[in-house]
Amino acid sequence: MKIKKEVFGELNGEKVMRYVLTNSHQTRIAVLSLGGTLQEFVVVENGQEHPLTIGLKTLDDYLHNVFNISQSVGRVAGRIGGAQFVLDGQTYHVDMNEGNHSLHGGYHGFTKINYAGQVAQSDDAASVTLTHHVKASDDHYPGNLALKIKFTLNEKDQVSLEYGAQTDAPTLFNPTNHVYWNVTDGQQSLDHQWLQINSEKRVETAAEKLPTGKLLPVAKTAYDFNQPRTLTTALADLKTENGKAEFDDAYEVTPSLTVPVASVGDTGGQRRIDIYSDRNGLVIFTADPVDGANQDAQRYNSLATEAQTLPDAINHPGFGDITLRPDHPVTRHIMFDYHHLGE
């Protein structure tokens, strides 16, 4: 295993660091201290590099992009309806940064933090651990948060993400990485990328993409990914079925670190990523987060997957427990497992 640490840029007088972890197969990930960002996930097949995720080249690119590209989002991923919630009988108000709701932690969420980093390695794995003390006054959530985000690459070409936190007052914690996938050669479109999700139900949403609290069956609808389908086919079916032009939807999944909650791959049969999560939700989002003209024209080149507890869980009984309490630290796990299928 190899670890390289370099300065990626400077922000507000602080250095933004880039950590590159590489295994013996030359599979590598690059992690930025700003935003807990997975800037690169690159594999080598038959001597050729293949990026699997979408990343940006410069610090300035990240500062001027609103798509949270492969960044860590929190304290709470997704939307909180009305930007408010009740916890232990007390009503809390958080940043209303998307219409009438709070999205991805508000104006001062995890994407805005430049974390301290520490690297470590063993014979078969290398990791970088990012840490930060998030004050309640920083992001308007209750409780000061000791936050730890750990990225690990091992010799099996598996990338593990751990989101750990402890608090000094009851609060909410439902983070994820907003990773964007295009595993096809050239990453030009979604024509040759398929998706499979082990899920029978999706979250019903009302206006402004807010969950209603109800789960809908996906069988025999455009939302059914129980068998692998190309995203282009699924998008066409979606438009025919209900006129929608994008996926921005949450699926109920069975938490597991041994059975994938979802997989993505290329129709050429070269590579597949299995996604594992210890929580009950997977949000998918189709976009072109880099090219504004393509995004406006609904020509998408990537699929975001956000492994988390179902969105707005604090406001919907049965969606899952996202409370974090003093003396009960938690760690949430996500894992990406790469497989080279071609000769």
Side-chain angles (χ1 to χ4, degrees), residues 193-220:
Q193 177 164 284
W194 57 261
L195 168 68
Q196 189 260 328
I197 307 174
N198 293 319
S199 171
E200 302 300 327
K201 295 179 181 179
R202 67 179 179 93
V203 174
E204 181 184 61
T205 54
E208 300 178 312
K209 301 180 180 179
L210 195 70
T212 65
K214 185 178 178 183
L215 297 175
L216 301 175
V218 300
K220 299 180 181 178

Side-chain angles (χ1 to χ4, degrees), residues 143-195:
N144 300 301
L145 201 68
L147 175 63
K148 180 170 70 173
I149 306 172
K150 185 178 182 181
F151 295 81
T152 303
L153 170 68
N154 67 20
E155 288 288 7
K156 296 179 180 178
D157 297 330
Q158 297 168 331
V159 178
S160 299
L161 285 65
E162 297 175 37
Y163 288 90
Q166 50 187 352
T167 182
D168 57 5
T171 189
L172 305 184
F173 187 63
N174 186 23
T176 191
N177 190 280
H178 205 302
V179 59
Y180 284 82
W181 301 101
N182 189 321
V183 304
T184 69
D185 295 343
Q187 297 188 317
Q188 294 302 306
S189 73
L190 291 175
D191 292 353
H192 303 290
Q193 177 164 284
W194 57 261
L195 168 68

Side-chain angles (χ1 to χ4, degrees), residues 92-310:
Y92 294 94
H93 297 271
V94 289
D95 292 346
M96 196 177 283
N97 66 319
E98 191 198 53
N100 296 312
H101 314 297
S102 187
L103 177 67
H104 292 333
Y107 292 114
H108 304 95
F110 291 177
T111 63
K112 308 296 185 185
I113 297 170
N114 189 29
Y115 298 84
Q118 185 73 41
V119 296
Q121 67 184 105
S122 63
D123 289 343
D124 59 359
S127 66
V128 55
T129 300
L130 306 176
T131 56
H132 189 76
H133 187 72
V134 185
K135 298 177 183 175
S137 57
D138 290 342
D139 62 3
H140 305 143
Y141 278 83
N144 300 301
L145 201 68
L147 175 63
K148 180 170 70 173
I149 306 172
K150 185 178 182 181
F151 295 81
T152 303
L153 170 68
N154 67 20
E155 288 288 7
K156 296 179 180 178
D157 297 330
Q158 297 168 331
V159 178
S160 299
L161 285 65
E162 297 175 37
Y163 288 90
Q166 50 187 352
T167 182
D168 57 5
T171 189
L172 305 184
F173 187 63
N174 186 23
T176 191
N177 190 280
H178 205 302
V179 59
Y180 284 82
W181 301 101
N182 189 321
V183 304
T184 69
D185 295 343
Q187 297 188 317
Q188 294 302 306
S189 73
L190 291 175
D191 292 353
H192 303 290
Q193 177 164 284
W194 57 261
L195 168 68
Q196 189 260 328
I197 307 174
N198 293 319
S199 171
E200 302 300 327
K201 295 179 181 179
R202 67 179 179 93
V203 174
E204 181 184 61
T205 54
E208 300 178 312
K209 301 180 180 179
L210 195 70
T212 65
K214 185 178 178 183
L215 297 175
L216 301 175
V218 300
K220 299 180 181 178
T221 73
Y223 297 94
D224 189 350
F225 288 96
N226 277 285
Q227 299 299 318
R229 295 165 69 207
T230 68
L231 272 305
T232 303
T233 299
L235 285 163
D237 291 347
L238 188 68
K239 195 159 194 175
T240 300
E241 188 172 286
N242 59 28
K244 290 189 176 182
E246 67 174 13
F247 284 99
D248 191 354
D249 295 276
Y251 288 76
E252 182 184 46
V253 297
T254 301
S256 179
L257 297 177
T258 57
V259 177
V261 298
S263 301
V264 294
D266 71 307
T267 57
Q270 292 299 304
R271 58 198 71 93
R272 183 183 83 240
I273 302 289
D274 292 330
I275 300 169
Y276 300 81
S277 170
D278 59 4
R279 287 173 289 170
N280 70 347
L282 184 76
V283 176
I284 64 168
F285 176 51
T286 49
D288 186 328
V290 177
D291 189 318
N294 278 340
Q295 175 67 20
D296 291 344
Q298 299 166 355
R299 292 191 299 264
Y300 306 131
N301 78 329
S302 56
L303 171 80
T305 62
E306 305 155 60
Q308 59 178 87
T309 301
L310 289 171

